[in-house]
């Protein structure tokens, strides 16, 4: 009897946790019409890391961070392809302070995925415009 109760409890707990892990991503996809990207920037010095992220919405009213309107305009010009955003001519220091930019989402019904590590924030901004400008 005890063995049966343990097995029943394990099955019950598995049934409760399985949908919870799958639901958020499916719920986000179904609930967000239009163009959106879940973006994050991770700063890492090899000993520790600091990650910031937000949901960038590029619909009627761009939302997500302080430069959302600019980021959405750049993404519209690039048809949602972050790699196609024209590089800006900016003088960056040669400081090595790596940052990893990541994005996934949807643009005009197409899945978008992007990940790249840059030598520093200035280099990232020069190559990706305002998309990952999470700091004010």
């Amino acid at each position: 009897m005890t063995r049966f109760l343990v097995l029943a409890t394990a099955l019950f707990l598995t049934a409760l946790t399985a949908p919870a892990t799958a639901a958020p991503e499916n719920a986000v996809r179904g609930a967000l019409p239009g163009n959106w990207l879940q973006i994050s920037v991770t700063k890492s010095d090899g000993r520790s890391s600091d990650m910031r992220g937000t949901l960038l919405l590029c619909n009627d009213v761009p939302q997500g961070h302080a430069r959302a309107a600019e980021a959405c305009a750049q993404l519209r010009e690039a048809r949602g392809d972050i790699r196609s955003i024209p590089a800006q001519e900016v003088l960056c220091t040669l400081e090595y302070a790596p940052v990893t930019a990541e994005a996934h989402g949807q643009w005009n019904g197409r899945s978008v995925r992007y990940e790249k590590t840059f030598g520093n924030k200035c280099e990232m901004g020069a190559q990706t415009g305002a998309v990952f400008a999470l700091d004010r």
Side-chain angles (χ1 to χ4, degrees):
M1 183 70 168
T2 304
R3 196 166 129 191
F4 173 76
L5 288 174
V6 170
L7 285 173
T9 302
L11 286 173
F12 177 73
L13 291 174
T14 301
L16 283 178
T17 58
T21 57
E25 189 167 330
N26 292 336
V28 168
R29 284 189 188 150
L32 292 174
N35 300 321
W36 60 273
L37 293 176
Q38 178 66 48
I39 59 175
S40 66
V41 176
T42 306
K43 300 176 194 175
S44 177
D45 65 4
R47 294 181 300 268
S48 64
S49 64
D50 172 29
M51 195 269 285
R52 293 177 187 219
T54 191
L55 180 63
L56 177 63
L57 299 170
C58 293
N59 298 317
D60 295 335
V61 178
Q63 300 173 47
H65 58 71
R67 295 176 58 191
E70 183 182 357
C72 291
Q74 291 169 344
L75 284 164
R76 273 192 285 284
E77 284 184 36
R79 294 188 169 106
D81 183 4
I82 297 168
R83 290 170 189 82
S84 296
I85 293 174
Q88 301 169 7
E89 291 193 31
V90 179
L91 292 177
C92 294
T93 64
L94 295 178
E95 164 193 22
Y96 184 67
V99 292
T100 300
E102 295 182 65
H104 72 273
Q106 178 177 304
W107 197 269
N108 292 335
R110 180 178 50 85
S111 179
V112 173
R113 290 219 172 268
Y114 177 88
E115 180 178 352
K116 185 169 181 179
T117 299
F118 298 92
N120 57 46
K121 269 179 46 176
C122 179
E123 191 181 300
M124 176 185 70
Q127 293 184 32
T128 64
V131 175
F132 295 99
L134 301 179
D135 296 333
R136 295 194 188 275

